[in-house]
Amino acid sequence: MLTPHLFQAAAVPPGPAPVPNPGRGAPGELTQKVDTVLGIAAWAGTAAGVAGVLITGAMMAISLKRGESSEHMGRLGMVLAGCVLVATAGPLVSFVFA
């Protein structure tokens, strides 16, 4: 048999729990490691962009010498768009999330 205090406890909803707020500061060691990884990724993206432009230019020169026509300008546009995206990734993220 149920006692009256159980009904009373079920009828009154509990108050809202406080929402935790961890703050914005990350630990210094974590920040240094993340900066290192992001620096390596930025360097690799820049190197890939330079390699892509060089390879596309070489393919254009070889095709021109052979007398072939192909879609090199579209390929070059994609490579350059990737370079712009890599170069502006940091400022874009800072603008959106700051």
Side-chain angles (χ1 to χ4, degrees):
M1 184 156 203
L2 296 173
T3 58
H5 71 285
L6 289 178
F7 288 117
Q8 187 180 27
V12 177
V19 178
N21 186 5
R24 295 181 62 96
E29 294 174 4
L30 177 65
T31 303
Q32 291 173 352
K33 290 178 183 179
V34 169
D35 285 345
T36 301
V37 170
L38 290 177
I40 291 170
W43 179 86
T46 303
V50 170
V53 171
L54 290 174
I55 290 170
T56 303
M59 290 175 67
M60 288 172 76
I62 290 170
S63 293
L64 181 66
K65 181 151 176 108
R66 289 183 181 173
E68 300 172 351
S69 64
S70 61
E71 298 286 328
H72 292 297
M73 292 307 286
R75 190 174 300 160
L76 182 62
M78 291 297 287
V79 170
L80 293 177
C83 291
V84 168
L85 187 61
V86 167
T88 61
L92 274 173
V93 170
S94 295
F95 175 74
V96 171
F97 291 111

